[in-house]
Amino acid sequence: GQNIDQPTEMTATEGAIVQINCTYQTSGFNGLFWYQQHAGEAPTFLSYNVLDGLEEKGRFSSFLSRSKGYSYLLLKELQMKDSASYLCAVRDSNYQLIWGAGTKLIIKP
Amino acid sequence: IAGITQAPTSQILAAGRRMTLRCTQDMRHNAMYWYRQDLGLGLRLIHYSNTAGTTGKGEVPDGYSVSRANTDDFPLTLASAVPSQTSVYFCASSQGSTGGNEQFFGPGTRLTVL
């Protein structure tokens, strides 16, 4: 079957750095997405990786290793507004997104 | 303002009743999707449409139907609601279903079936 694994919850301190991991086993791979979802709101797009390596976008970076079935999202200079759930999703061989359950990130002052 | 709208925002429904959740996008996106989101689970795809006039089944299609008569609208119908269909439903759209085409999400409909 297809599986996306992420930690359920993480806690970090304002101003610090946090890394959220995602491992996947899917039927085919056509890209990996990270989304942010604040409580009670819709998911919003953060990043897309299809080749191995690091993609940087401001305070957020995303890394992919296709051979290891592994990605991480790195958040730097954490702000209170970064408290949210972070969703990892893989596009499979049918070009549909398979979603992880999300990682709830709690930021403490 | 460009984006996706969903209606209603929330609904309480008696089991056995028929219900249609509405979704409209004004971005002229080709592909549209319906997901449900339940606590502790990832978003699960119910149905999708890669282009107007075509639809396909996702991971959890049973009990749901969709139509795509035009580019903008993608309604989701529950023919006879059951309590296990209590969930938050998100409609999404994307320009295409390949490459880096990100999906844009509507605000969601919170449905409770009693």
Side-chain angles (χ1 to χ4, degrees), chain A residues 30-31 33 35 37 40-45 48 87 91 94-102, chain B residues 33 35 37 40-43 45 48 50 90 96-103 105-107 110:
Chain A
N30 286 294
F33 294 80
Y35 280 75
Q37 185 177 25
E41 299 183 6
T44 55
F45 170 78
Y48 170 71
L87 315 180
R91 181 174 277 141
N94 294 318
Y95 292 94
Q96 300 305 332
L97 289 183
I98 308 300
W99 296 80
Chain B
Y33 314 86
Y35 292 96
Q37 187 174 40
L41 299 177
L43 289 161
L45 183 65
Y48 66 93
N50 286 331
F90 286 104
S97 58
T98 62
N101 285 298
E102 67 198 77
Q103 293 184 8
F105 285 79
R110 185 174 297 274

Side-chain angles (χ1 to χ4, degrees), chain B residues 9-78:
Chain B
T9 302
S10 65
Q11 182 75 45
I12 299 174
L13 189 67
R17 297 296 296 268
R18 180 184 179 89
M19 175 75 189
T20 295
L21 307 185
R22 300 185 297 280
C23 175
T24 300
Q25 54 103 359
D26 63 1
M27 296 176 283
R28 308 303 292 172
H29 282 170
N30 290 314
M32 296 187 75
Y33 314 86
W34 274 105
Y35 292 96
R36 58 178 292 171
Q37 187 174 40
D38 302 291
L39 198 63
L41 299 177
L43 289 161
R44 291 184 290 169
L45 183 65
I46 304 170
H47 285 286
Y48 66 93
S49 169
N50 286 331
T51 189
T54 69
T55 62
K57 294 182 179 180
E59 179 186 357
V60 289
D62 293 344
Y64 306 94
S65 64
V66 292
S67 61
R68 186 88 184 277
N70 57 60
T71 298
D72 299 344
D73 301 301
F74 191 43
L76 176 74
T77 297
L78 289 68

Side-chain angles (χ1 to χ4, degrees), chain A residues 9-46:
Chain A
E9 187 174 297
M10 298 181 70
T11 302
T13 303
E14 189 177 16
I17 299 173
V18 70
Q19 177 175 312
I20 302 174
N21 295 326
C22 170
T23 58
Y24 63 88
Q25 290 179 304
T26 57
S27 57
F29 177 85
N30 286 294
L32 185 144
F33 294 80
W34 284 96
Y35 280 75
Q36 180 189 60
Q37 185 177 25
H38 285 101
E41 299 183 6
T44 55
F45 170 78
L46 287 177

